[in-house]
Amino acid sequence: IYDFATQSATTVSDRALASALGSAMSWSGDGGRLVFSEAAGAETEGQIRIYDEDRGKLLDGAVVSGVMAAWSPVRGEIAVSRLSDTSDGHDLYAVQPDGGGLRPLLQRPGDDTAPVWSPDGGILTFSSAPPDTEPERRQLHILDPETGALTELGMGFGAAWSQDGVRLAYSGQAGDAAAQNQDIFIVAVDGVAADGGEPQAVSSSVTRDVWPG
């Protein structure tokens, strides 16, 4: 963690996991705690850990196993992508910071990862790869945890919400572009959900533009 005021850095963990699909860490709504995924030795699945900045310490024990985590800014719970109990990929779960109340948000065949809560904590985006799909061809979705309703946004990953919760920036491909050619797009969430509004490309590259934020 880098503090711009003091121009100093604090090492939280030397085993944190990263992913090309999006951020693997997230701040709590009050900005006092950081949740992230930490490598767990030879295990294939990481461990979700919490760093308490106010106390200046990494909290003992893992919250739950998982590879990517997102702290709801309102609900207080954490969305986690972890190995599925029913298939070979990852499913989405919600869990309390103390590890209690683990519940599935979405369970289905394929690989669902990179959850990101909307600013009001009402819905979340995630990246999905159906069975036998190339990782570069992942689809971006919106999930309403209360109703289970899904909205497909198109090919993409690594979403970032605008502060007003109206727009999403993400990395994806335009049309028939090669899988390795990633550009940044912005889409109006209400437009997609209601009338199929089209994403707007804000970058154009022959390589990879990723991780908007």
Side-chain angles (χ1 to χ4, degrees):
I1 297 175
Y2 185 79
D3 188 324
F4 285 92
T6 63
Q7 298 186 5
S8 61
T10 300
T11 299
V12 173
S13 172
D14 59 4
R15 295 187 294 138
L17 294 177
S19 171
L21 298 176
S23 175
M25 64 186 70
S26 174
W27 289 100
S28 59
D30 61 7
R33 291 172 292 174
L34 180 73
V35 64
F36 65 96
S37 183
E38 186 177 67
E43 299 295 326
T44 57
E45 187 83 321
Q47 299 291 318
I48 303 301
R49 302 292 304 276
I50 292 176
Y51 176 78
D52 189 320
E53 188 173 37
D54 293 334
R55 293 156 58 181
K57 63 175 293 187
L58 184 64
L59 301 186
D60 294 336
V63 177
V64 70
S65 62
V67 292
M68 303 190 78
W71 211 315
S72 170
V74 177
R75 295 168 178 260
E77 62 185 354
I78 299 168
V80 178
S81 175
R82 64 194 306 261
L83 287 175
S84 173
D85 296 328
T86 60
S87 66
D88 293 334
H90 288 81
D91 288 332
L92 300 180
Y93 295 80
V95 65
Q96 296 299 318
D98 62 2
L102 181 67
R103 61 186 178 91
L105 295 175
L106 184 65
Q107 290 181 304
R108 61 180 188 166
D111 196 54
D112 295 330
T113 60
V116 182
W117 289 101
S118 60
D120 65 2
I123 56 178
L124 56 82
T125 61
F126 67 95
S127 181
S128 177
D132 303 320
T133 299
E134 296 178 8
E136 296 84 0
R137 297 294 181 181
R138 302 184 74 88
Q139 299 289 322
L140 195 65
H141 292 74
I142 290 177
L143 169 67
D144 184 330
E146 297 300 325
T147 66
L150 286 170
T151 301
E152 184 175 317
L153 300 182
M155 194 175 298
F157 60 88
W161 289 88
S162 63
Q163 290 186 350
D164 58 11
V166 173
R167 293 166 296 162
L168 272 174
Y170 65 93
S171 179
Q173 292 99 24
D176 297 327
Q180 67 270 21
N181 292 353
Q182 306 286 340
D183 291 322
I184 303 299
F185 294 83
I186 293 177
V187 64
V189 177
D190 288 343
V192 169
D195 56 23
E198 291 297 323
Q200 175 187 359
V202 295
S203 76
S204 178
S205 174
V206 296
T207 54
R208 291 171 61 89
D209 295 337
V210 296
W211 294 62

